[in-house]
Amino acid sequence: MLPDAPDDAAITAMRARELGRKSVVVGDRVSLVGDVSGADGALARIVRIAERRSVLRRTADDDENTAEGRLERVVVANADQLVIVSALADPPPRTGFIDRCLVAAYDADIEPLLCLTKADLAGPAQVVGYYTELELPYVLIRPDSDLDALRALLAGRVSVLVGHSGVGKSTLVNRLVPDALRAVGVVSAIGRGRHTSTSAVALRLPRTPDGDGDPGWIVDTPGIRSFGLAHVSAESLLHGFPDLVEGTVDCPPNCPHTPDEADCALDAWVAAGKADPRRLASYRRLLASRAGEGDPREVERNPGDPLAGS
């Protein structure tokens, strides 16, 4: 909080020249000088960016051998929680995309939360069952349901919301923060949503009448079709699949865990019923796409598993 401004003041500030090319992203904690009153026409300068305690990143593509694949983007700084918004129908859920978000969350050392919207159209059994071994926390959202459970999980935290276009993320944001006025799109006949949000924005959650603590912040992000992971090492990629980690104990040193590695122990681990075979398939798809072997959106265009896809 700034000493000369009210808690809800909107302060206009520009980056000071001495910061050079250092970028300021949503979620950064900064030091300001100048007029921080929040009055009309007031202008401050950003003179320092505090050390980031977490950084959620994604790359434009998974191929680190191309210029586009090396384009790393910071989604948000200093987030505590990644809220992965997925519809249960219209468009259908894509566990491939959720898996990518989980890898990014674990890599950034922030907690994941699965938010399943349109629960009035389909049940959560398939999606929840896929993540049984992870004990991934989740909430169900219906158009007529209250949001008390979600608000409780957001309270006191900085949470970043990510999801495909059309899953109801902007609608959810507008329900959480009625003054947000985020654009809401429609889902096309082929089950793909229109991109509505165009930039990430941090929004203070309103206090509830009986709430005394910090209600928290949410960061709404533009709808995305894929979450590139070229910035994540192959070793760290496995951390997004904790249900498979123990199965690698019997693997040979430097095992690539690919399907053509005869001595990889993961196949036996799955065959013994200790992990869902779809989880191993998803992990290996991410390994292949990270290595530039195929289009990371190929599975989404030609889904074999109704829950698969990027």
Side-chain angles (χ1 to χ4, degrees), residues 95-174:
T95 53
F97 175 78
I98 297 172
D99 286 345
R100 287 172 174 271
C101 292
L102 289 175
V103 169
Y106 295 137
D107 183 67
D109 197 25
I110 63 178
E111 297 180 19
L113 170 66
L114 185 56
C115 182
L116 299 172
T117 62
K118 306 186 183 182
D120 56 316
L121 301 180
Q126 275 191 305
V127 178
V128 173
Y130 178 78
Y131 292 106
T132 296
E133 298 299 322
L134 273 67
E135 298 183 356
L136 178 63
Y138 71 93
V139 290
L140 297 177
I141 304 296
R142 298 176 178 84
D144 59 347
S145 63
D146 63 56
L147 301 179
D148 292 348
L150 178 58
R151 287 192 179 95
L153 293 167
L154 299 176
R157 297 183 172 192
V158 176
S159 302
V160 53
L161 279 64
V162 298
H164 283 309
S165 295
V167 298
K169 182 167 58 63
S170 294
T171 299
L172 180 62
V173 170
N174 287 335

Side-chain angles (χ1 to χ4, degrees), residues 36-65:
V36 294
S37 65
D40 289 344
L43 181 64
R45 287 191 305 140
I46 301 172
V47 295
R48 187 175 69 87
I49 302 172
E51 183 178 354
R52 295 166 178 167
R53 54 186 173 81
S54 72
V55 180
L56 178 67
R57 299 180 173 90
R58 75 179 182 97
T59 35
D61 206 283
D62 283 339
D63 188 0
E64 62 182 357
N65 299 312

Side-chain angles (χ1 to χ4, degrees), residues 38-299:
D40 289 344
L43 181 64
R45 287 191 305 140
I46 301 172
V47 295
R48 187 175 69 87
I49 302 172
E51 183 178 354
R52 295 166 178 167
R53 54 186 173 81
S54 72
V55 180
L56 178 67
R57 299 180 173 90
R58 75 179 182 97
T59 35
D61 206 283
D62 283 339
D63 188 0
E64 62 182 357
N65 299 312
T66 66
E68 184 183 36
R70 290 191 297 271
L71 182 58
E72 183 178 307
R73 299 170 180 171
V74 176
V75 179
V76 66
N78 299 313
D80 304 301
Q81 184 170 236
L82 177 62
V83 182
I84 308 164
V85 184
S86 174
L88 288 169
D90 193 30
R94 299 295 188 190
T95 53
F97 175 78
I98 297 172
D99 286 345
R100 287 172 174 271
C101 292
L102 289 175
V103 169
Y106 295 137
D107 183 67
D109 197 25
I110 63 178
E111 297 180 19
L113 170 66
L114 185 56
C115 182
L116 299 172
T117 62
K118 306 186 183 182
D120 56 316
L121 301 180
Q126 275 191 305
V127 178
V128 173
Y130 178 78
Y131 292 106
T132 296
E133 298 299 322
L134 273 67
E135 298 183 356
L136 178 63
Y138 71 93
V139 290
L140 297 177
I141 304 296
R142 298 176 178 84
D144 59 347
S145 63
D146 63 56
L147 301 179
D148 292 348
L150 178 58
R151 287 192 179 95
L153 293 167
L154 299 176
R157 297 183 172 192
V158 176
S159 302
V160 53
L161 279 64
V162 298
H164 283 309
S165 295
V167 298
K169 182 167 58 63
S170 294
T171 299
L172 180 62
V173 170
N174 287 335
R175 291 184 64 192
L176 289 167
V177 188
D179 294 336
L181 301 177
R182 299 296 274 173
V184 177
V186 297
V187 178
S188 69
I190 58 173
R192 297 194 178 193
R194 287 171 44 197
H195 290 269
T196 49
S197 304
T198 57
S199 60
V201 60
L203 300 166
R204 181 71 161 170
L205 289 167
R207 294 184 184 276
T208 57
D210 56 348
D212 297 327
D214 176 11
W217 289 78
I218 57 172
V219 178
D220 186 24
T221 61
I224 55 178
R225 288 181 179 163
S226 185
F227 208 110
L229 298 172
H231 63 284
V232 179
S233 69
E235 181 180 356
S236 295
L237 194 65
L238 182 62
H239 295 161
F241 296 81
D243 46 332
L244 300 178
V245 171
E246 190 177 346
T248 65
V249 171
D250 294 328
C251 286
N254 302 316
C255 178
H257 308 308
T258 54
D260 56 355
E261 175 54 54
D263 295 326
C264 180
L266 285 176
D267 295 281
W269 180 259
V270 168
K274 296 180 179 179
D276 191 319
R278 294 175 300 174
R279 294 281 292 161
L280 177 57
S282 179
Y283 170 58
R284 284 175 168 166
R285 278 198 300 270
L286 293 188
L287 281 175
S289 64
R290 188 190 175 280
E293 299 171 9
D295 186 337
R297 291 170 293 276
E298 181 179 354
V299 179

